[in-house]
Amino acid sequence: MQVEVPFVDLARGTGDLRNEIDQAIGRVMDRGRFILGEEVEGFEREFAQATGARAAVGVASGTDALELSLRALGIGPGDKVVTQANTCIPTVSAIERAGAQPVLCDVDPETAAMDPASLSATLGSRTRAVILVHLYGQCGPIRDVCEVAGAAGVDVIEDCAQAHLAAVDGRLAGTIGALGAFSFYPTKNLGAFGDSGAILCGSEEMEQRLRALRVYGAPGRGDVSNPGVNSRLDEIQAAVLRVKLRHLERWNRRRAAIAAIYDAALADASVRPLKRLPGTEHAFHLYVVRASSRDAFRSALRQAGVETGVHYAQAVHNHPGYANLVCQAIPLVNAERLAAEVVSLPMGPHLSDAEVEYVASAAAEAATQSQ
Ligand SMILES: *Cc1c(COP(=O)(O)O)cnc(C)c1O
């Protein structure tokens, strides 16, 4: 029997929390404080606790979290910031919004994670930071990246928008580099009912800088020395996030269990799941396979009722608006090849056992058909 499995289904995802979330939103309405109040403070405290960070600062989106991280580190016009060519566009938008110049490096062809050797080749005298993206929910090679960057006196920012509670060698994403930027866009592992984000930071000084930057540089507290922006986390979003945060670990475990079922079904298939990095605990924001006949594989799945995604169909520099980011000295061939092959299968804690089994066998079947 054919089963229809959509790629995302957010209404179903929050269904069983409906009463708890209604009450949380009701509390905000009753209190009558909608910006930077006790829900935001509570969420910041609880998110820092959940990740083992010293502090968390709530902001309006993941892109803002990256931009304010760069600004807090004093990065702006005249500076270069390196990130990987297979990231999603907002990583690059944030660098440009901070006034800096993005530079792309290549990735490992098997894991899709940043390649430290390629990173090393991009570093120059104007390079001030690296944004390592924990893509698809798997921590990138943070130790190697910190070593390469550290030797050059360059800060590392972790883009954790897809990696809530992911870990490497027991340390959580966002707590290893100088700052960790998170998005709570609705489809992320921890998603709000709109836009929001947060930054994890390890020092009091960074925390105070970020708290000022998110409210115009904090003119309410006296003279503005670092001009900021308006990027606040709303009370209602924070109230929703507090409820959902309590379920995040369980949801991530469910994602990992689904990934194990997909892995088993595809063990001998012509499409191959991306390789995992040793020592990492994957948050499985996305379950990504490489298919050399991608269109045929996706269309066979579509016919079976299974919707898939592509993250991302083009490397950053192959978008017309970013063609200027290509540097001939740094080949980006692995990012380009991955862009032509990656396919994301439906993934999320809302999927039923029956749906997961159906997707797993449909994917194995589609792999055979599309070979
Ligand atoms: C979602 C995402 C962002 C941007 O977050 P927004 O909240 O949409 O601004 C940045 N980087 C990565 C890797 C993402 O997946």
Side-chain angles (χ1 to χ4, degrees), residues 8-366:
V8 283
D9 192 345
L10 295 177
R12 233 172 97 192
T14 40
D16 57 340
L17 301 180
R18 177 63 195 263
N19 286 340
E20 228 183 318
I21 288 175
D22 273 346
Q23 282 169 18
I25 292 174
R27 273 202 311 275
V28 175
M29 280 195 280
D30 290 343
R31 212 181 281 129
R33 174 154 186 189
F34 299 105
I35 297 282
L36 300 184
E38 67 184 77
E39 298 295 336
V40 171
E41 278 168 29
F43 174 69
E44 288 177 339
R45 196 171 52 241
E46 288 153 14
F47 192 57
Q49 265 163 17
T51 52
R54 188 189 157 280
V57 176
V59 296
S61 74
T63 312
D64 283 5
L66 289 166
E67 178 194 341
L68 296 193
S69 296
L70 290 163
R71 286 170 175 262
L73 292 167
I75 292 160
D79 297 330
K80 292 188 179 190
V81 176
V82 183
T83 192
Q84 59 213 61
N86 65 344
T87 188
C88 65
I89 292 297
T91 315
V92 176
S93 333
I95 298 170
E96 294 197 314
R97 271 228 323 242
Q101 185 187 334
V103 176
L104 301 174
C105 73
D106 209 2
V107 295
D108 182 283
E110 302 294 330
T111 62
M114 183 182 279
D115 173 8
S118 176
L119 164 65
S120 179
T122 64
L123 298 179
S125 59
R126 284 165 57 205
T127 312
R128 292 283 315 281
V130 176
I131 301 181
L132 171 63
V133 185
H134 299 314
L135 202 63
Y136 309 142
Q138 169 166 249
C139 285
I142 180 91
R143 273 170 218 292
D144 292 348
V145 165
C146 285
E147 210 173 290
V148 169
V154 165
D155 284 315
V156 177
I157 295 169
E158 295 172 70
D159 182 342
C160 307
Q162 304 186 356
H164 311 77
L165 304 188
V168 57
D169 297 334
R171 283 183 74 183
L172 270 78
T175 66
I176 307 167
L179 294 165
F182 287 81
S183 165
F184 307 118
Y185 182 77
T187 59
K188 311 290 189 189
N189 288 34
L190 178 61
F193 289 173
D195 281 310
S196 51
I199 303 152
L200 295 182
C201 51
S203 78
E204 164 81 21
E205 188 198 352
M206 273 302 150
E207 181 187 344
Q208 291 316 324
R209 249 188 246 181
L210 289 164
R211 291 194 183 289
L213 282 170
R214 75 174 171 185
V215 281
Y216 333 112
R221 280 194 250 145
D223 294 341
V224 170
S225 41
N226 283 315
V229 299
N230 171 0
S231 180
R232 297 173 296 224
L233 173 56
D234 293 343
E235 281 287 279
I236 284 181
Q237 298 302 348
V240 171
L241 288 167
R242 291 180 83 180
V243 173
K244 292 178 111 189
L245 179 59
R246 295 199 283 273
H247 301 272
L248 180 57
E249 244 183 79
R250 174 171 64 86
W251 286 338
N252 276 3
R253 274 200 303 275
R254 173 70 181 152
R255 287 173 183 270
I258 294 170
I261 292 168
Y262 290 169
D263 281 350
L266 297 173
D268 303 311
S270 61
V271 305
R272 286 172 302 137
L274 289 175
K275 284 225 175 89
R276 315 280 154 71
L277 284 151
T280 58
E281 208 167 303
H282 204 311
F284 287 106
H285 174 59
L286 294 168
Y287 183 92
V288 177
V289 300
R290 296 174 61 181
S292 42
S293 317
R294 177 165 70 192
D295 289 348
F297 177 66
R298 294 189 75 201
S299 105
L301 274 171
R302 198 175 308 118
Q303 268 172 26
V306 176
E307 201 186 332
T308 55
V310 172
H311 302 86
Y312 298 92
Q314 304 212 68
V316 171
H317 58 285
N318 287 332
H319 287 269
Y322 293 106
N324 61 326
L325 299 189
V326 184
C327 161
Q328 298 305 333
I330 311 292
L332 302 170
V333 288
N334 295 332
E336 286 170 2
R337 179 151 14 100
L338 282 162
E341 292 184 1
V342 288
V343 182
S344 310
L345 299 183
M347 169 53 82
H350 63 285
L351 294 170
S352 70
D353 288 347
E355 285 170 316
V356 173
E357 291 299 343
Y358 181 78
V359 173
S361 60
E365 174 72 27

